[in-house]
Amino acid sequence: MAYRWSASLKERDVTDEHLFINRRNLLSGLSGVGLSVLMAEPAFSKTLEPNAWEDITEYNNYYEFGTGKEDPAKFAKRLTTKPWSVKIDGLVDRPGFYAFEDILSKMQIEERIYRFRCVEAWSMVVPWNGFELADLLDLAGVQSNARFVAFETLYRPSEMRGQNTRVLDWPYVEGLRMDEAMHPLTMMATGIYGRDIPNQNGAPLRLVVPWKYGFKSIKSIVKITLMERQPPTSWNKANAREYGFYSNVNPEVDHPRWSQASERKLGGGLFAKREPTMKFNGYENEVSMLYKGMNLRKHF
Ligand code: MTE
């Protein structure tokens, strides 16, 4: 697979200022599936202390259920997520509808503790369960002329009250460049803290790209299309001046309404200290080579 990383980071490669990836096996797992842990952990591991379940699941953005941070927890309960399938089409050898249960049975489920950075300058740390997007794309067989991956969220206004308003152009769509999609840090999450992912966090499966701002992590995915041209993305369509295609966490490029230089970790109380935001959200060693030679101020 041309795009896949062959390099795997070992603990012995760790230095004080480097992040490291630490894989270890857990004895207990999600119902019957092998579970291993991958932590991309900065030297100051306190900063990767996971947030409480309540922080993660009761304060978030999912505009299909309303624009308030508490709306998803309030209104996402009635979303039906069974049965669920993902249509994978475009430049793949095996296009079609992939049943969620079939996908799960073929994937290696891991726990990954990732830092999350919202464009509104707050952050949190989430212990996700899921699998690499690359493994799902391999199932469908990516063709060599595919350069981008487009994602689409469910459109079901009868269960998603926000879709009866025009805050965004529905369905929610996102995109990644092929090498970003195939990067081993890019995952499809199906759980949090070893439990099924709650509806408000994007059940039954959503994207997590830890070096990008949170809005790139599209929820409740029903369609994945491999294509040659760069796909449109919801926030870029809504406000191109504020939201670019790449949306890599970058303390040097301010969002017009929020400085991106620092962040406050959720759950630390009102007086929690702001911390400097790290380039690529702290995953610089793992991903900076993807953007070598690119002007990241222009391609924000
Ligand atoms: N996906 C869909 N379908 N609809 C949305 O409104 N919001 C995005 C992103 N994914 C959103 C979405 C934004 S703005 C953020 S900050 C993250 O989801 C929040 O992810 P979380 O629920 O894991 O905190």
Side-chain angles (χ1 to χ4, degrees), residues 3-292:
Y3 289 105
R4 281 200 97 144
W5 262 26
S6 53
S8 74
L9 292 170
K10 299 273 161 43
E11 274 187 59
R12 64 167 180 272
D13 299 328
V14 172
T15 68
D16 274 357
E17 43 314 280
H18 284 77
L19 301 173
F20 68 93
I21 294 178
N22 168 28
R23 261 179 203 271
R24 70 188 153 92
N25 290 319
L26 271 193
L27 293 174
S28 63
L30 296 172
S31 45
V33 269
L35 187 75
S36 59
V37 171
L38 184 146
M39 299 215 284
E41 189 173 28
F44 311 98
S45 63
K46 222 173 68 205
T47 59
L48 266 197
E49 186 91 35
N51 275 85
W53 172 264
E54 291 74 24
D55 290 343
I56 300 167
T57 61
E58 292 175 12
Y59 182 92
N60 70 334
N61 284 331
Y62 195 168
Y63 276 27
E64 282 83 342
F65 297 102
T67 54
K69 302 276 187 230
E70 273 126 41
D71 289 342
K74 250 190 261 166
F75 299 117
K77 287 187 187 71
R78 54 182 295 225
L79 176 68
T80 352
T81 58
K82 278 180 190 153
W84 193 274
S85 64
V86 182
K87 185 181 187 191
I88 307 183
D89 65 5
L91 303 170
V92 290
D93 296 334
R94 292 172 290 281
F97 288 90
Y98 289 75
F100 179 63
E101 297 304 323
D102 289 346
I103 293 174
L104 269 193
S105 71
K106 294 192 173 81
M107 294 291 134
Q108 157 90 14
I109 304 288
E110 304 173 337
E111 178 178 278
R112 294 177 171 206
I113 300 173
Y114 279 166
R115 178 191 283 281
F116 168 97
R117 175 60 159 74
C118 181
V119 73
E120 295 160 25
W122 51 271
S123 66
M124 59 186 176
V125 175
V126 185
W128 297 108
N129 311 105
F131 51 85
E132 287 182 22
L133 172 62
D135 288 334
L136 178 60
L137 296 180
D138 281 354
L139 265 191
V142 178
Q143 295 178 349
S144 57
N145 49 340
R147 291 184 54 230
F148 292 92
V149 188
F151 303 86
E152 199 174 298
T153 293
L154 177 70
Y155 178 70
R156 191 184 287 157
S158 60
E159 289 184 352
M160 299 172 122
R161 65 206 308 267
Q163 287 180 336
N164 297 304
T165 71
R166 291 178 176 213
V167 280
L168 287 175
D169 184 18
W170 311 110
Y172 195 97
V173 289
E174 255 306 336
L176 293 174
R177 211 173 58 192
M178 204 60 217
D179 55 350
E180 299 176 322
M182 287 307 205
H183 193 283
L185 287 179
T186 302
M187 77 184 290
M188 296 293 278
T190 56
I192 297 173
Y193 272 116
R195 294 158 67 176
D196 284 347
I197 198 166
N199 283 357
Q200 63 267 32
N201 292 87
L205 84 167
R206 50 86 56 88
L207 182 70
V208 179
V209 194
W211 69 93
K212 292 179 181 279
Y213 292 113
F215 64 85
K216 292 295 283 184
S217 295
I218 181 172
K219 298 180 158 93
S220 308
I221 294 166
V222 290
K223 192 168 164 217
I224 298 176
T225 307
L226 284 288
M227 50 211 288
E228 229 173 307
R229 57 165 216 282
Q230 183 176 302
T233 66
S234 278
W235 284 102
N236 180 254
K237 281 198 292 182
N239 190 340
R241 200 175 73 90
E242 297 190 3
Y243 305 101
F245 176 81
Y246 285 94
S247 305
N248 291 318
V249 175
N250 191 345
E252 294 152 26
V253 178
D254 278 343
H255 180 280
R257 284 180 287 145
W258 298 284
S259 158
Q260 299 301 316
S262 69
E263 64 197 56
R264 193 162 52 84
K265 190 175 166 187
L266 216 68
L270 220 52
F271 303 106
K273 233 179 64 213
R274 299 191 74 83
E275 293 170 34
T277 287
M278 291 185 277
K279 192 144 189 211
F280 297 114
N281 204 22
Y283 301 94
E284 183 168 9
N285 288 326
E286 287 84 355
V287 303
S288 59
M289 76 286 271
L290 300 179
Y291 309 104
K292 232 171 116 187

